[in-house]
Amino acid sequence: MSMFPVVRPRRLRASAKLRRMVAETRLHPAMFVLPLFVVPGEDIANPIRSMPGNFQLSIDRLIPVVAEAAAAGVGGVILFGIPAEKDEEGTGAWDPAGPVPEAIRAIKESGLDITVWADVCMCEYTSHGHCGVLRGEIVDNDATLPLLARAAVAYADAGADVIAPSDMMDGRVAAIRSALDDAGYNELAICSYSAKYASGYYGPFRDAADSAPAFGDRNTHQMDPNNVREALVEVEQDLAEGADMVMVKPAGPYLDVISAVRATVDVPVVAYQVSGEFSMIEAAAANDWIDGDRVMMESLTSIARSGAGIILTYFATRAAHKLTTQKSESQ
Ligand code: PBG
Ligand code: ZN
């Protein structure tokens, strides 16, 4: 009898078809949501310098991008608006003629088979770039809640499928839920950015959405990267307030948070592979330091393996295409 153990894990790795069969994680295009940046105007596609392949798009240029995502089977798009004008209160956030409500309507009118998510936050709409109204230099939590609720209702009126508050004010899910219900949208889902960390990985996004704070930071409302148990407090609170899905953000550097949340709740767990995660992969790939496609798929697989069922990612359409061509490549 051989001295070698009978257990040989390599047996199930012997061919692509075996590996495919025993895979514990399976990415699918329907689990991806593509973030998009909408600007007023026509025929505008401003490249976002720090995010190759991503643009600030006017609605006429946005629709083909949404159509391509839908054709690839991508599950959703999430819209961020860059308004023509910003003010202290961020009133543009609930303007029914603002870029996001107009874009939602245009996507709905196009009849494309894809969900439309509306991000709810004030920072793209305030002149100071903070996520709510200011009292001195502090973001005033309770004064911000009615503004977020107004924005959510404006996106609901336009036809959004999912309302996604990303501001990290306490009590926002309850405020938005009751405003939506009062407006007759008790069937409309909320995905709360429950565990959103104060992260350096948002750098490129702040270029894209022109939403960097004019002074200070977001450390008094976004979560401290040191904490994971606190994420469960946030998640529990948001579910008690009526959230239908909960999000962890960023994704790749916070896989432990994703798995902790997955182990605790039975609603869909969403993860946001943020701008900095995307840009780092793109920058290394552009230098030929890594294989971009391979790391793209590996990063998404890791996020799914840790427990996310839905992934917001700037790779959504590219990864969806990759999934549909992958089988032939791996044979
Ligand atoms: C706005 C918001 C941010 C992101 C999503 N919504 C930026 C921030 O909080 O500064 C980041 C997304 C990304 O980096 O891709 N509250
Ligand atoms: Zn914000």
Side-chain angles (χ1 to χ4, degrees):
M1 202 174 125
S2 157
M3 293 304 290
F4 198 82
V6 293
V7 177
R8 287 181 185 267
R10 285 187 57 179
R11 290 180 194 124
L12 295 180
R13 300 176 197 144
S15 68
K17 54 184 176 287
L18 270 170
R19 292 192 294 272
R20 217 160 44 228
M21 188 179 69
V22 302
E24 297 175 37
T25 306
R26 294 180 200 282
L27 295 175
H28 189 281
M31 75 198 292
F32 300 143
V33 176
L34 176 67
L36 293 170
F37 303 96
V38 200
V39 290
E42 255 176 70
D43 197 24
I44 298 170
N46 296 329
I48 299 162
R49 192 185 49 85
S50 53
M51 300 176 69
N54 289 265
F55 302 83
Q56 296 178 335
L57 298 164
S58 55
I59 290 170
D60 55 321
R61 301 290 294 269
L62 180 89
I63 296 297
V65 175
V66 180
E68 195 198 355
V74 168
V77 292
I78 182 164
L79 302 178
F80 297 93
I82 299 111
E85 274 163 42
K86 308 189 184 216
D87 58 32
E88 281 278 307
E89 262 211 312
T91 57
W94 56 82
D95 177 3
V100 169
E102 296 279 24
I104 295 170
R105 274 186 220 102
I107 297 169
K108 290 291 152 183
E109 277 160 24
S110 71
L112 292 167
D113 192 19
I114 192 163
T115 64
V116 182
W117 299 37
D119 181 90
V120 176
C121 196
M122 305 309 294
C123 56
E124 297 116 69
Y125 302 93
T126 50
S127 44
H128 43 74
H130 282 284
C131 301
V133 280
L134 294 178
R135 185 166 23 92
E137 299 213 333
I138 296 291
V139 179
D140 187 333
N141 192 90
D142 295 12
T144 301
L145 299 181
L147 313 188
L148 296 166
R150 272 180 92 164
V153 171
Y155 307 147
D157 285 341
D161 297 296
V162 178
I163 299 293
S166 67
D167 52 280
M168 288 298 278
M169 297 301 114
D170 293 327
R172 71 214 203 268
V173 174
I176 289 172
R177 183 73 271 161
S178 85
L180 289 174
D181 291 358
D182 287 349
Y185 299 112
N186 54 352
E187 298 282 334
L188 181 55
I190 295 175
C191 173
S192 180
Y193 287 70
S194 300
K196 177 177 179 180
Y197 285 85
S199 173
Y201 287 89
Y202 306 150
F205 177 94
R206 290 176 188 179
D207 287 346
D210 186 23
S211 65
F215 61 88
D217 52 43
R218 308 209 199 289
N219 295 346
T220 66
H221 46 104
Q222 297 181 347
M223 276 189 59
D224 184 338
N226 292 293
N227 297 351
V228 58
R229 291 190 297 271
E230 187 187 358
L232 304 180
V233 175
E234 288 280 5
V235 161
E236 199 185 331
Q237 181 66 31
D238 286 354
L239 290 176
E241 292 180 25
D244 303 283
M245 303 188 263
V246 292
M247 193 192 301
V248 175
K249 174 189 176 186
Y254 292 82
L255 297 182
D256 59 322
V257 182
I258 297 172
S259 55
V261 172
R262 176 71 290 167
T264 317
V265 304
D266 291 313
V267 297
V269 174
V270 183
Y272 195 148
Q273 182 182 50
V274 301
S275 57
E277 301 177 71
F278 168 84
S279 298
M280 282 165 42
I281 294 171
E282 286 294 278
N287 277 293
D288 270 325
W289 293 338
I290 58 172
D291 174 340
D293 269 21
R294 184 172 173 187
V295 174
M296 166 179 77
M297 297 315 282
E298 189 176 336
S299 67
L300 294 168
T301 296
S302 297
I303 294 164
R305 191 190 61 237
S306 74
I310 299 173
I311 306 175
L312 278 58
T313 171
Y314 301 93
F315 289 124
T317 304
R318 201 169 120 200
H321 283 143
K322 186 82 188 167
L323 285 171
T324 48
T325 52
Q326 185 163 267
K327 184 166 175 273
S328 45
E329 277 178 21
S330 65
Q331 272 165 348

